[in-house]
Amino acid sequence: MTLREKLADRLHINDIRLLAADDTLSAREALYGLIGDSEERVGYNALWVMTHFASSANGWLATKRDGLINQLLACNHVGKKRLLLTLLDRLSVQPEDIRTDYLDFCLAAINSSEPYAIRVFCMKQAYAQCRLYPELLQEFSAILEMTDQSELSPGLKSAKRNILKQMARAK
């Protein structure tokens, strides 16, 4: 059975762990190559497996940052968006990693009707990018203030509170 055929089926956590345990470059590349598959389940399952990679894979994952962002910006599948953001959240952000289209996406999603998990990840990713530049941090702070106008889930409140603590410590 090919990797694509495995990913086209329903996966259980043991299947995921087994696929993620293959720490070879060729296995990682094969999974990465399937995230944009025309069959949604294949792409979703490939991403799900990738979220179970060991932290030692983060270096390799960082080389795929632009591709992951491109997939995210073109994605309409809520589950795939969440998994893509999960992967991007594992990576540290340096000034050369900032992409305005991705930053705009994250900032816009904070006060959107996206599911809570996506909004939380976007809040975290927007802060990770904005913290590097004072002028961006001011814009980010203004967007965070706008969240006071709506009812926030406990997860969004917690993420906002943690980010505000980090911002206060950085001053």
Side-chain angles (χ1 to χ4, degrees), residues 3 9 11 14 37 40-41 43 49-50 52 64 92 95-96 108 112-113 117 121 127 137-139 149 157:
L3 177 60
D9 279 340
L11 294 181
N14 291 335
D37 195 88
E40 288 292 335
R41 180 179 284 217
V49 170
M50 289 173 67
H52 286 78
K64 304 299 183 188
S92 63
E96 63 273 8
S112 71
S113 60
F121 278 123
Y127 175 65
L137 203 50
Q138 289 174 344
E139 181 180 348
Q149 307 300 321
K157 283 181 188 176

Side-chain angles (χ1 to χ4, degrees), residues 3-165:
L3 177 60
R4 188 179 185 286
E5 291 170 339
K6 288 178 188 174
L7 295 174
D9 279 340
R10 185 179 184 130
L11 294 181
H12 300 282
I13 192 63
N14 291 335
D15 302 322
I16 301 255
R17 289 181 182 137
L18 186 63
L19 289 168
D22 187 351
D23 205 23
T24 62
L25 181 60
S26 61
R28 290 180 192 163
E29 291 289 344
L31 279 167
Y32 179 78
L34 290 170
I35 63 175
D37 195 88
S38 60
E39 190 175 326
E40 288 292 335
R41 180 179 284 217
V42 172
Y44 179 84
N45 282 342
L47 286 167
W48 195 22
V49 170
M50 289 173 67
T51 63
H52 286 78
F53 281 166
S55 59
S56 60
N58 286 354
W60 171 83
L61 200 55
T63 67
K64 304 299 183 188
R65 180 190 310 270
D66 281 337
L68 294 170
I69 292 171
N70 292 340
Q71 287 283 332
L72 174 67
L73 297 178
C75 187
N76 293 321
H77 187 276
V78 173
K80 285 178 72 173
K81 279 185 193 179
R82 180 180 47 80
L83 292 172
L84 286 161
L85 284 163
T86 300
L87 291 171
L88 290 164
D89 195 53
R90 290 175 64 167
L91 307 176
S92 63
V93 178
Q94 303 304 318
E96 63 273 8
D97 297 325
I98 295 176
R99 283 184 42 177
T100 55
D101 55 349
Y102 179 49
L103 178 58
D104 289 344
F105 171 86
C106 291
L107 291 172
I110 292 171
N111 288 309
S112 71
S113 60
E114 291 281 1
Y116 294 136
I118 291 173
R119 292 172 62 193
V120 166
F121 278 123
C122 284
M123 190 181 291
K124 290 170 67 178
Q125 284 292 288
Y127 175 65
Q129 296 174 78
C130 290
R131 69 180 170 75
L132 302 169
Y133 297 97
E135 59 276 7
L136 290 177
L137 203 50
Q138 289 174 344
E139 181 180 348
F140 176 71
S141 294
I143 289 172
L144 273 187
E145 285 178 24
M146 290 171 42
T147 63
D148 294 338
Q149 307 300 321
S150 60
E151 187 68 31
L152 298 179
S153 73
L156 278 167
K157 283 181 188 176
S158 176
K160 179 180 175 181
R161 188 172 46 250
N162 289 336
I163 288 170
L164 289 172
K165 283 180 189 175

